[in-house]
Amino acid sequence: MTLPTKVKRKGKKLKRIRKNWDLYLLILPVIIYFIIFKYVPMYGVQIAFKDFISVEGILGSPWVGIEHFTRFFESFYFERLLSNTLLIGLYELAVGFPIPIILALLINEVRNRYFKSFIQTVTYAPHFLSGVVVVALLFLLLSPQTGIVNQIIVLFGGEPISFMTEPEWFKTLYVFSGVWQNMGWSSIIYLAALAAVDPQLHEAAEIDGASRLQRMWHINLPSIKPTIIIMLILQCGSILGVGFEKVFLMQNSLNMSASDVISTHVYRTGILGSQYSYSAAIGLFESVVNLIILLMVNYMAHRVNKVSLW
């Protein structure tokens, strides 16, 4: 590339920036936020490779390499933590990802404006409940003595089940309560994509005799396919990122074998145990695995459907 060509390109970029200065000004706070709160703190990641001593600081702490990673991989809890975190993440992906799409498709087919608004309000409302309230509701509804679910089971001749303490029920309760809480809110982006579908496609299909279900399958779903793929890529990038708060609130000594995940282990070792370097190494491992999964899924989506994040 010749020098004049480079200069011309640089001039075009500067001209484009000057022309759209107001748009760049709008995005500036977002860039500053990410630099200050996302990129600058990455300086502290190096404590995962050091034996961090508070009084010595990050630079003064001795370097230990991958000792903390090796300790985590060889620990007694590694297999349990990884399997629980991965299974919950995959369970959420399998159940929690398609339901908002189905809900959006169904809401989009509702013709009565008032009934549509009512359904949207009812499905959106749980999103604004805190995790503490959701877990409290679970304890109330599933109580072996007074919970309505167990009362119905006893009414039909069954035995009460201690849902909140039996390990085999933990993942199902965690995932489905999360689906109930977030499916309405998650459907908003799909409803926005459906609003952009050309009505003429539906009119032509209706003239050809297509049923509402056929139009939903052959027009609406393909139209929002790029949005679905992008959301799938983003969710796959957080498979190991199982949240801490709700798991911790639902966790007890009886269901620990199914509820102990990476985030709760980091809390116990890092916050309660003051093992900052060790917990930082575990957190870094989780982030790197999530990044690898994100890159793989993004690459496959681009190869198969020509839709990707980049």
Side-chain angles (χ1 to χ4, degrees), residues 3-300:
L3 184 60
T5 306
K6 289 183 178 180
V7 173
K8 286 180 181 179
R9 286 193 175 182
K10 188 175 180 180
K12 287 181 179 179
K13 287 181 181 179
L14 292 174
K15 186 178 179 181
R16 188 164 59 248
I17 291 173
R18 284 196 299 268
K19 183 180 179 181
N20 302 297
W21 66 270
D22 49 347
L23 299 178
Y24 286 100
L25 187 64
L26 283 173
I27 202 173
L28 185 61
V30 178
I31 296 174
I32 294 173
Y33 166 80
F34 274 93
I35 291 174
I36 295 175
F37 295 102
K38 301 295 181 180
Y39 287 96
V40 173
M42 290 176 69
Y43 167 78
V45 170
Q46 61 182 299
I47 70 171
F49 304 94
K50 292 190 171 190
D51 187 10
F52 180 68
I53 303 172
S54 301
V55 294
E56 298 291 339
I58 295 177
L59 294 178
S61 300
W63 188 272
V64 295
I66 60 171
E67 179 182 317
H68 299 299
F69 294 93
T70 305
R71 175 186 165 193
F72 176 57
F73 298 148
E74 295 177 350
S75 69
F76 173 78
Y77 298 105
F78 175 73
E79 185 177 348
R80 183 175 80 175
L81 294 170
L82 187 61
S83 62
N84 284 341
T85 307
L86 188 60
L87 286 174
I88 291 175
L90 292 173
Y91 200 167
E92 281 188 309
L93 183 66
V95 177
F97 182 74
I99 288 181
I101 301 172
I102 297 170
L103 178 63
L105 291 170
L106 295 176
I107 291 176
N108 188 65
E109 294 300 315
V110 177
R111 293 293 172 259
N112 188 301
R113 181 164 60 90
Y114 298 104
F115 183 64
K116 185 175 184 177
S117 299
F118 173 75
I119 294 297
Q120 287 178 299
T121 302
V122 169
T123 54
Y124 293 172
H127 173 77
F128 299 98
L129 297 175
S130 70
V132 177
V133 174
V134 173
V135 175
L137 286 172
L138 288 176
F139 274 102
L140 289 173
L141 295 173
L142 303 176
S143 171
Q145 290 79 32
T146 59
I148 187 172
V149 175
N150 273 303
Q151 288 183 3
I152 294 173
I153 292 174
V154 172
L155 185 64
F156 284 93
E159 292 293 328
I161 301 173
S162 183
F163 290 99
M164 301 302 292
T165 59
E166 294 189 7
E168 57 269 22
W169 282 102
F170 178 84
K171 293 181 178 64
T172 299
L173 293 176
Y174 178 87
V175 171
F176 277 91
S177 61
V179 170
W180 169 78
Q181 185 179 10
N182 297 310
M183 64 179 181
W185 186 260
S186 300
S187 68
I188 292 176
I189 190 169
Y190 301 113
L191 286 169
L194 287 168
V197 177
D198 190 351
Q200 293 182 0
L201 295 175
H202 285 279
E203 292 171 3
E206 196 170 356
I207 292 172
D208 290 338
S211 65
R212 181 173 291 187
L213 186 61
Q214 288 174 325
R215 284 185 280 123
M216 188 189 303
W217 182 261
H218 294 288
I219 297 176
N220 287 346
L221 201 57
S223 297
I224 64 173
K225 183 180 177 182
T227 304
I228 293 173
I229 293 173
I230 293 298
M231 297 304 294
L232 177 63
I233 294 171
L234 292 173
Q235 190 158 342
C236 285
S238 59
I239 283 181
L240 287 185
V242 177
F244 165 77
E245 181 188 36
K246 189 177 171 185
V247 174
F248 184 72
L249 291 169
M250 294 177 63
Q251 191 176 81
N252 53 64
S253 58
L254 296 176
N255 64 18
M256 186 67 75
S257 60
S259 64
D260 196 17
V261 295
I262 291 176
S263 59
T264 55
H265 186 67
V266 168
Y267 168 74
R268 287 198 307 274
T269 57
I271 305 299
L272 300 183
S274 300
Q275 302 179 53
Y276 302 116
S277 293
Y278 179 62
S279 59
I282 299 173
L284 183 58
F285 163 76
E286 177 188 329
S287 300
V288 170
V289 173
N290 278 331
L291 177 61
I292 292 171
I293 294 173
L294 175 66
L295 294 174
M296 290 173 59
V297 175
N298 185 74
Y299 173 77
M300 289 187 290

